[in-house]
Amino acid sequence: MNNETQNTEYKESWRDEYLKWICGFANAKGGVLYIGVNDSGEVIGLKNAHKLGEDIPNKIVNYLGIVCETNLLKRDDLDYIEIIVEPSNVPINFQGKYHYRSGSTKQELKGAALQQFLLKKMGRSWDDIPHETATLERINRNAIDYYLQHAVRARRLPTSALSDSTETVLENLNLITDDGKLKYAAILLFGNNPQRYFPTAEFKIGRFGFSDSDLWSQDVVSGNIIQMAEKVVELLRQKYLLSYIRYEGMQRVEELEIPEDALRELIYNAICHKDYMGSTIQMKIFDQYIELWNDGDLMEGVTIENLLQKHKSKPRNPLISNAFYKAGFIESWGRGIEKVCRAFSDSNIELPQFSINSGGLNVIISRNNNQEMVNEKSSQKSSQKSSQKSSQKIIDLISKNTNITTDELAEELGISRRAVAKHIKSLQEKGLVIRIGPDNGGHWEVVKNEQER
C-alpha cells in the first residue's frame, strides 16, 4: 500500500480513540482509515477482524452520529479493515470536542479556529454574526455618506442612493437582521467606535531604524474601517513617506514614492481579509522597504503562487468585502494583486513579496525613495512635456504664418534660434512640417493628414 497521505491513515490495531481520526476526516475532506496496517503501508493483519467489522460501525454511529462504509479486506491471508469516511456538511464532534484533518495530521479545534470552522459548516462567516446589544445609534452617518458618495462615483450605486436612510443602506448590504440587530460587519464598517467591541480593529504604523527593535515613532489609526485606508494613506503622505513634486504645465503634482493606487489596494486587502479576532494590522516602515502584515492565513485553496495570478476571490469577511466592492475600493474577481504588481512594474519598482508569517499574510513593499533617481525621472518628464509644447506651438505659428522665420519663432517662444532649429528638424523628420522652396524666399507647410505625408 502507499504511504499515508492527507486522506489516508494507517493503524496497526483498533482503539476507540481512533474515532477522533474518523471525526477529523468527516470535518475535513473525508478520507480512509485502515486498521491492521503499519505506518509503512504493510498489511500485518488483525486477529479479531470479523468482530471489529461489526463493532466499529456501531461505535461510529453511537459516538459520532454518522455512517461510514466499513469493509473487511484480505491480503496474503491477513485480514484488515477499511473505513471510508465521507466529508460531513455539518460539524461532527467526539465527546464534545471537534477534530480536523489538516495535511497528514489531526488537530483539535479550539478558540477562534473552532468558531471559524463552525460558522463555515453552517454556511456563515464571522462578520455575519449579529451583535446582541449594539443598536443603530452606534452607526456613524458620516461614514454611511462617505460610503454612498464613493459607491455612486464608482457607478455601483445609482445617484438616488445618496438619500437612502441609514437603515436602508444597512439592509441593502445585508448588515442588519430582520429584528434590527447589527451584524459585526456593520459595526466595523460604520460604527462610531468599533474598537469598543473589537479592540484589535486598528491599524498600527511604526517607523523603524535598522531593526524591529529600533522603533523611532508610531501611530495608531482607529475608527470605522470604511474610512480607515483613507486615514492611513493621508498619515503616510504627511509623516512617513516621500512625495515628489513635479509640474504639468502650471499645475503642481505631488506624486507618492510608491504607486498610490497599488498601495491603497494592499491596505484595502489587509483590512478586508483580516481576522478581527486576532492581532491588529501592522505596517513597519524602514529606509528601503515597508512591511505590511495582517492576521489571518490564506483562505482554503489559495496559495502564495496562485495569489499572484488570476484566481477566484475567496474573502474571509464577505460582508465587509462586499461593502468595499460597492464603494469601488476593491475588485470582486481576484484581480487586485495582479493590478498591484502591474503598477509596481510600470513604475520600475521591485514587485511586492508575499509570504505567510506568524499566521498572517506578510507583504514586503520596496520604497522608491532614491531622491536623485526620482528627480532625474521628473526632470526628464518635464523636459519631454516642455519639448512637446514648444513643438506644438511652432506648428500653430506656422499654420498662421507660413512665411514666419526662425528668428521670429525664437522670439515668440522665448527660446534660442538653435533650439527652434532643433524642434523644426524633429518636426520635419516626423513628417509634420515641410519646407517649400529655398531658405530665403520659400515657405512652410503643415502636414495635416497621412495622405499629405
Side-chain angles (χ1 to χ4, degrees), residues 23-212:
C23 176
F25 278 134
N27 284 328
K29 297 181 179 180
V32 183
L33 180 65
Y34 291 97
I35 311 299
V37 181
N38 64 22
D39 290 342
S40 300
E42 179 185 359
V43 177
I44 61 175
L46 292 168
K47 292 181 180 180
N48 55 344
H50 289 276
K51 186 175 187 308
L52 286 174
E54 296 175 357
D55 292 346
I56 290 175
N58 292 328
K59 289 182 177 181
I60 293 174
V61 171
N62 292 333
Y63 283 98
L64 302 178
I66 59 176
V67 176
C68 296
E69 180 183 343
T70 304
N71 302 310
L72 181 60
L73 306 178
K74 185 182 290 287
R75 176 177 292 185
D76 299 330
D77 293 327
L78 296 173
D79 295 323
Y80 67 104
I81 292 175
E82 176 188 58
I83 305 171
I84 301 174
V85 186
E86 297 292 337
S88 173
N89 57 5
V90 296
I92 304 298
N93 73 84
F94 174 61
Q95 296 179 335
K97 296 180 179 180
Y98 293 84
H99 302 272
Y100 190 86
R101 180 75 171 193
S102 178
S104 59
T105 62
K106 178 192 69 64
Q107 299 175 355
E108 182 185 338
L109 298 175
K110 298 178 181 179
L114 175 58
Q115 183 188 52
Q116 290 285 357
F117 165 76
L118 294 174
L119 287 170
K120 182 179 178 181
K121 283 293 183 182
M122 292 186 292
R124 300 183 65 181
S125 57
W126 177 86
D127 61 348
D128 190 41
I129 299 174
H131 197 281
E132 293 302 320
T133 59
T135 61
L136 278 174
E137 287 71 28
R138 296 293 178 188
I139 298 299
N140 186 331
R141 181 64 203 190
N142 289 334
I144 294 284
D145 291 336
Y146 175 88
Y147 157 76
L148 291 173
Q149 290 162 9
H150 281 81
V152 170
R153 192 178 307 159
R155 298 183 179 179
R156 291 175 180 172
L157 283 181
T159 305
S160 59
L162 292 172
S163 59
D164 285 349
S165 68
T166 296
E167 192 167 4
T168 297
V169 173
L170 298 179
E171 287 176 348
N172 289 341
L173 289 171
N174 193 26
L175 298 179
I176 190 170
T177 64
D178 292 339
D179 57 353
K181 291 181 180 178
L182 298 178
K183 296 183 179 180
Y184 287 178
I187 300 170
L188 284 165
L189 285 162
F190 306 118
N192 282 312
N193 180 22
Q195 289 71 33
R196 171 179 177 175
Y197 304 99
F198 312 108
T200 64
E202 296 179 328
F203 199 114
K204 287 186 177 180
I205 305 173
R207 180 62 170 96
F208 292 81
F210 295 103
S211 67
D212 287 1

Side-chain angles (χ1 to χ4, degrees), residues 235-291:
L235 186 58
L236 292 174
R237 183 183 289 278
Q238 292 177 357
K239 184 174 179 180
Y240 291 96
L241 301 182
L242 299 177
S243 293
Y244 300 116
I245 299 172
R246 59 184 175 83
Y247 288 88
E248 293 183 358
M250 298 297 291
Q251 186 175 0
R252 172 188 168 118
V253 178
E254 292 190 21
E255 197 171 79
L256 206 59
E257 63 179 81
I258 295 170
E260 187 168 327
D261 287 345
L263 180 61
R264 285 178 183 270
E265 182 76 31
L266 292 172
I267 294 172
Y268 287 138
N269 279 338
I271 294 172
C272 287
H273 297 294
K274 169 179 159 49
D275 178 358
Y276 282 93
M277 298 297 288
S279 302
T280 58
I281 299 172
Q282 298 173 24
M283 177 178 277
K284 299 178 180 179
I285 301 175
F286 298 87
D287 284 343
Q288 301 303 321
Y289 67 92
I290 297 169
E291 186 174 350

Side-chain angles (χ1 to χ4, degrees), residues 168-378:
T168 297
V169 173
L170 298 179
E171 287 176 348
N172 289 341
L173 289 171
N174 193 26
L175 298 179
I176 190 170
T177 64
D178 292 339
D179 57 353
K181 291 181 180 178
L182 298 178
K183 296 183 179 180
Y184 287 178
I187 300 170
L188 284 165
L189 285 162
F190 306 118
N192 282 312
N193 180 22
Q195 289 71 33
R196 171 179 177 175
Y197 304 99
F198 312 108
T200 64
E202 296 179 328
F203 199 114
K204 287 186 177 180
I205 305 173
R207 180 62 170 96
F208 292 81
F210 295 103
S211 67
D212 287 1
S213 60
D214 188 17
L215 177 63
W216 293 357
S217 63
Q218 63 178 336
D219 286 280
V220 177
V221 177
S222 56
N224 67 74
I225 64 173
I226 197 71
Q227 294 176 290
M228 184 172 282
E230 190 75 41
K231 295 177 182 178
V232 169
V233 172
E234 188 61 29
L235 186 58
L236 292 174
R237 183 183 289 278
Q238 292 177 357
K239 184 174 179 180
Y240 291 96
L241 301 182
L242 299 177
S243 293
Y244 300 116
I245 299 172
R246 59 184 175 83
Y247 288 88
E248 293 183 358
M250 298 297 291
Q251 186 175 0
R252 172 188 168 118
V253 178
E254 292 190 21
E255 197 171 79
L256 206 59
E257 63 179 81
I258 295 170
E260 187 168 327
D261 287 345
L263 180 61
R264 285 178 183 270
E265 182 76 31
L266 292 172
I267 294 172
Y268 287 138
N269 279 338
I271 294 172
C272 287
H273 297 294
K274 169 179 159 49
D275 178 358
Y276 282 93
M277 298 297 288
S279 302
T280 58
I281 299 172
Q282 298 173 24
M283 177 178 277
K284 299 178 180 179
I285 301 175
F286 298 87
D287 284 343
Q288 301 303 321
Y289 67 92
I290 297 169
E291 186 174 350
L292 175 62
W293 180 86
N294 69 276
D295 206 341
D297 206 338
L298 293 176
M299 298 300 286
E300 186 176 350
V302 180
T303 65
I304 293 296
E305 289 71 25
N306 62 32
L307 184 70
L308 303 177
Q309 304 168 356
K310 288 184 179 179
H311 59 278
K312 291 183 179 179
S313 179
K314 294 186 177 182
R316 180 182 306 279
N317 304 298
L319 294 180
I320 291 174
S321 296
N322 180 54
F324 272 72
Y325 168 74
K326 289 286 182 63
F329 295 156
I330 63 173
E331 296 292 337
S332 65
W333 301 104
R335 298 187 299 132
I337 301 301
E338 183 185 5
K339 291 172 62 179
V340 167
C341 291
R342 190 184 308 123
F344 274 79
S345 178
D346 290 345
S347 299
N348 295 318
I349 305 175
E350 184 180 349
L351 300 185
Q353 301 172 25
F354 299 85
S355 63
I356 298 299
N357 185 3
S358 301
L361 183 63
N362 199 65
V363 189
I364 301 296
I365 307 164
S366 294
R367 297 184 63 183
N368 184 25
N369 57 359
N370 185 321
Q371 182 70 56
E372 292 182 3
M373 179 183 70
V374 174
N375 285 346
E376 182 181 348
K377 287 183 179 179
S378 298

